[in-house]
Amino acid sequence: MLSPGVESQLHNLPWVCEEGARTPVVLRSHIDCGSLLGHRAVYRMCFATAAFFFLFTLLMTCVHSSRDPRAAIQNGFWFFKFLVFVGITVGAFYIPNGSFSNIWFYFGVVGSFLFILIQLVLVIDFAHSWNQRWLGRAEERDSRAWYAGLSFFTLLFYSLSVAAVTLFFIYYTQPSACYEGKVFISLNLILCFCVSIIAVLPKVQEAQPNSGLLQASAVTLYTMFVTWLALSNVPDQKCNPHLLTNGTVLAGAEGYVTQWWDAPSIVGLIVFILCTLFISLRSSDHQQVNSLMRTEECPPILEATQQQQVVGCKGRAFDNEQDGVTYSYSFFHFCLLLASLHIMMTLTNWYRPGETQKMTSTWTAVWVKICASWAGLLLYLWTLVAPLLLPNRDFS
């Protein structure tokens, strides 16, 4: 949608460079219509994707086994689902602009906030699985090499986090300015230090034997990553030297050259793709993460049934969800709905459609990402202290 070839074909649509009842948009001299067009096209494409997954989120609610007729829609009818998606997409591109983009921006803000939290849950899940498997191999083979590997990566993650904080203070703060950035960096550093200490407290270790510094270091590194994303959206050139103003960078004394991507956007897109694949391909080895993500390992009864079916049905496909689904269909589509909103905000660099006078990042993007980092740390802290605060509840 942001490529020149596609943009040229979109100029015939009713919402291109018009506001409301065919009122031309007033743009600065160095902002051409294409700069605005690409962002609005991404909004409509992601609206179609989000609407498609929202439809299936509702449709798949309370599907508990493959005996439910709706389960066949989840696992088949691909041609008809493709037709539905194409129909929604075509319709989305003929929605008159009006206040559509302005309202959809706020949906994107909320969805992106929630997806950043889901990404953190996946990071915790990955670290827990990694820690458990390497510790298991260390015990099985009686080798210290696995312990050394865990220690190496823990130290690596903390070293990268400290290096990131140093670079943040160098590039995103000024001695007599940028007080918001200084507060954000310092506060996140202190919070990460606190959760790291809590993760290795004797009482926490007793209640959570699998808790350790590897998970805390991964959460710390991810928090620094989200902090970087937030600082890269600060709409102040003095505090953000890599600010993308108007989707462009100054090319000379007179002209501007279009630039849609910066380093945080590229890294954020890579993390988004990895997390989306993680959601799609596996359930968790960690029970609390399974509870949060609405997934679970195969129950013993189902596992025994599946083993019998494998013996008797080798070489043929069989239904392994007759007694219960292995993941929540509805929540799976809800995660993809949030992923659609997150990628919309990432691709448009959190541009706010109503601000046609100045196409740049906003403080909304900064606060959403910073608050997401705080909420993520609180969520991780809860997984550590919940067994201590609620001793009568089973967290195994």
Side-chain angles (χ1 to χ4, degrees), residues 39-83:
H39 287 77
R40 290 185 170 181
V42 169
Y43 266 56
R44 279 164 170 73
M45 187 67 207
C46 291
F47 169 80
T49 308
F52 177 79
F53 288 122
F54 178 71
L55 174 65
F56 275 85
T57 298
L58 298 179
L59 186 62
M60 295 298 157
T61 301
C62 297
V63 174
H64 300 297
S65 72
S66 60
R67 292 189 177 93
D68 192 308
R70 293 173 294 171
I73 301 176
Q74 167 75 10
N75 301 312
F77 296 96
W78 299 105
F79 176 74
F80 296 102
K81 287 191 283 191
F82 178 74
L83 288 182

Side-chain angles (χ1 to χ4, degrees), residues 76-301:
F77 296 96
W78 299 105
F79 176 74
F80 296 102
K81 287 191 283 191
F82 178 74
L83 288 182
V84 171
F85 176 70
V86 170
I88 296 175
T89 303
V90 172
F93 276 85
Y94 283 91
I95 298 175
N97 194 53
S99 58
F100 166 79
S101 297
N102 295 326
I103 295 175
W104 193 238
F105 169 81
Y106 292 104
F107 278 91
V109 167
V110 175
S112 187
F113 174 85
L114 295 176
F115 191 76
I116 290 174
L117 294 183
I118 289 178
Q119 285 182 334
L120 178 66
V121 173
L122 295 175
V123 169
I124 297 173
D125 173 29
F126 177 76
H128 273 299
S129 301
W130 184 4
N131 187 63
Q132 290 177 9
R133 289 174 182 173
W134 281 31
L135 288 177
R137 292 177 183 177
E139 294 175 358
E140 290 174 3
R141 304 178 185 181
D142 193 21
S143 173
R144 294 184 178 181
W146 297 102
Y147 293 109
L150 289 174
S151 300
F152 169 77
F153 281 103
T154 300
L155 182 61
L156 176 64
F157 291 162
Y158 277 124
S159 299
L160 291 175
S161 300
V162 172
V165 170
T166 304
L167 293 174
F168 294 162
F169 276 110
I170 293 175
Y171 290 103
Y172 293 99
T173 64
Q174 296 291 334
S176 59
C178 310
Y179 298 108
E180 297 90 349
K182 293 175 183 177
V183 171
F184 294 153
I185 299 168
S186 302
L187 188 56
N188 278 0
L189 178 62
I190 294 171
L191 292 175
C192 288
F193 178 78
C194 291
V195 297
S196 298
I197 295 297
I198 293 173
V200 294
L201 290 176
K203 289 188 176 181
V204 173
Q205 289 284 302
E206 182 181 351
Q208 295 270 36
N210 294 320
S211 173
L213 286 179
L214 178 66
Q215 297 92 317
S217 65
V219 170
T220 298
L221 184 60
Y222 180 76
T223 301
M224 291 305 135
F225 165 69
V226 176
T227 305
W228 179 38
L229 294 182
L231 295 174
S232 68
N233 283 120
V234 173
D236 186 347
Q237 196 78 40
K238 191 185 304 181
C239 304
N240 183 9
H242 305 104
L243 177 66
L244 294 183
T245 305
N246 309 316
T248 59
V249 292
L250 192 59
E254 297 178 358
Y256 285 73
V257 176
T258 299
Q259 176 179 324
W260 301 110
W261 299 99
D262 56 359
S265 298
I266 295 173
V267 177
L269 183 61
I270 294 173
V271 173
F272 158 80
I273 294 173
L274 293 177
C275 289
T276 304
L277 290 175
F278 208 62
I279 292 173
S280 303
L281 297 179
R282 72 187 297 277
S283 60
S284 174
D285 295 328
H286 190 257
Q287 291 296 326
Q288 291 190 42
V289 174
N290 281 330
S291 178
L292 289 170
M293 295 298 297
R294 306 285 296 170
T295 60
E296 61 179 352
E297 290 295 312
C298 187
I301 297 177

Side-chain angles (χ1 to χ4, degrees), residues 323-342:
D323 297 321
V325 295
T326 56
Y327 66 97
S328 170
Y329 292 166
S330 181
F331 189 77
F332 171 75
H333 288 290
F334 180 69
C335 288
L336 295 181
L337 162 64
L338 298 181
S340 301
L341 296 174
H342 180 71

